[in-house]
Amino acid sequence: MPRVHGRKEHKIIILNEYNQPVGPIKEVVKELGSFLGILARSETFCPLNVFNWRKLDTKDDMWKYIKKKYDIPDEAKPWVFESVCSAWRKYKSQLKTTHFTTYDNDELRMENRPVDIPESHFKDLLKYWNSDPHKKMSETNTENRNKLKCPHTAGRTPFALIREAEMEKIQSTQESEDDSHSDDAFASVMGPEHPGRVRLYGRGVTKIVLKGQKGNLGSSDERMQQKMEEMEERMQQRMHEKLNE
């Protein structure tokens, strides 16, 4: 990833209709995702002694830095920050497992502090992890994770790219499937959608965004919308089949 931080050229990022990066090629999209993961570990942009993403005051500087490395439309900003936020939380969770839970007391934890984390930041982090509000929140999060039925298992490949690949398959084969009840079957197995996200669409897509996108389609795009719906049905059917194996 040093090649991204050191380069002067701006790599172009192409968005889909939901303002998610999907091109120009999947390697660039994956590189962008990895780059955002590195920023989430940055002391400058995502200090660990700030415990609430909403209170992080470095987002403007972070966006300017990202724009120096990628020619990415401003419409992708929500997706970018959601990705960084997710990576930031994952990083802190990993740190807690390896440098907090592993040791019996703070003295041992400080002795084994990661060398790339400032001592003052790590002390604040230990104080936060030891607090009663955090312990209660951690228990709730653990319970919610145990209820998760379909975690992301595609590695660095985002759902947006998976959907694009499925779309190309549908367009090339022109398959026609009679599966009008797939949504009901999928929902009966997987349960209702959770607020703030839509399964299989990736980051940044909510029911409101989805409805708005469908409502804005003109007659020339009706065929594309039909293909999108067919693709969604195919993906839901595959998920349903895997669960019944």
Side-chain angles (χ1 to χ4, degrees):
M1 204 49 60
R3 66 181 184 276
V4 177
H5 292 280
R7 75 181 178 210
K8 296 182 179 180
E9 65 170 320
H10 294 58
K11 284 195 175 182
I12 295 175
I13 298 296
I14 297 175
L15 308 181
N16 64 9
E17 63 271 30
Y18 303 111
N19 296 321
Q20 300 167 311
V22 293
I25 57 176
K26 64 180 180 180
E27 286 75 16
V28 173
V29 177
K30 290 182 179 181
E31 180 196 87
L32 172 63
S34 297
F35 175 70
L36 297 180
I38 295 297
L39 294 187
R41 295 169 175 257
S42 167
E43 171 192 344
T44 302
F45 294 121
C46 298
L48 293 172
N49 60 346
V50 177
F51 311 117
N52 189 320
W53 174 259
R54 295 183 181 88
K55 295 182 179 180
L56 202 64
D57 60 3
T58 58
K59 296 188 184 75
D60 288 342
D61 291 336
M62 193 189 315
W63 180 245
K64 291 177 182 177
Y65 184 69
I66 293 169
K67 295 277 282 187
K68 288 182 179 180
K69 306 303 175 182
Y70 294 93
D71 185 357
I72 182 169
D74 289 340
E75 289 80 2
K77 197 172 183 179
W79 179 91
V80 165
F81 282 145
E82 188 174 341
S83 298
V84 176
C85 176
S86 177
W88 183 57
R89 289 174 175 172
K90 182 178 180 180
Y91 175 45
K92 288 193 292 183
S93 177
Q94 292 171 340
L95 281 176
K96 184 179 179 182
T97 299
T98 57
H99 290 84
F100 182 83
T101 308
T102 303
Y103 302 103
D104 294 330
N105 55 65
D106 285 352
E107 183 178 355
L108 290 174
R109 291 161 185 154
M110 287 301 300
E111 289 178 1
N112 293 276
R113 170 180 60 88
V115 295
D116 56 340
I117 298 178
E119 182 176 342
S120 60
H121 288 196
F122 195 64
K123 284 183 177 179
D124 290 340
L125 199 54
L126 292 181
K127 183 178 179 180
Y128 174 67
W129 283 335
N130 279 309
S131 67
D132 290 336
H134 173 76
K135 290 178 181 179
K136 184 177 180 179
M137 181 180 66
S138 181
E139 292 176 359
T140 301
N141 290 340
T142 299
E143 292 175 359
N144 290 336
R145 280 195 298 271
N146 291 335
K147 296 176 183 177
L148 190 63
K149 293 184 177 180
C150 49
H152 184 87
T153 57
R156 294 194 303 148
T157 305
F159 274 127
L161 284 182
I162 296 174
R163 292 183 66 84
E164 287 290 312
E166 287 295 321
M167 177 67 76
E168 291 178 1
K169 290 180 182 178
I170 291 174
Q171 289 176 328
S172 62
T173 60
Q174 295 293 303
E175 292 181 354
S176 176
E177 298 181 358
D178 183 13
D179 193 17
S180 60
H181 299 293
S182 64
D183 286 348
D184 293 337
F186 183 78
S188 66
V189 174
M190 304 304 296
E193 295 281 8
H194 294 280
R197 64 181 176 86
V198 182
R199 278 187 293 251
L200 307 179
Y201 277 83
R203 303 188 194 284
V205 179
T206 64
K207 288 184 177 181
I208 295 177
V209 171
L210 201 58
K211 289 180 180 179
Q213 183 65 32
K214 291 181 179 180
N216 291 331
L217 290 174
S219 57
S220 61
D221 290 323
E222 289 179 355
R223 186 176 180 182
M224 179 64 73
Q225 176 59 34
Q226 181 182 356
K227 297 303 179 184
M228 289 173 61
E229 292 174 350
E230 290 176 359
M231 176 189 66
E232 183 176 2
E233 290 177 357
R234 283 162 56 91
M235 294 181 71
Q236 290 176 347
Q237 185 178 17
R238 289 180 183 179
M239 183 71 74
H240 192 186
E241 290 172 352
K242 286 184 178 180
L243 289 171
N244 289 329
E245 288 179 353

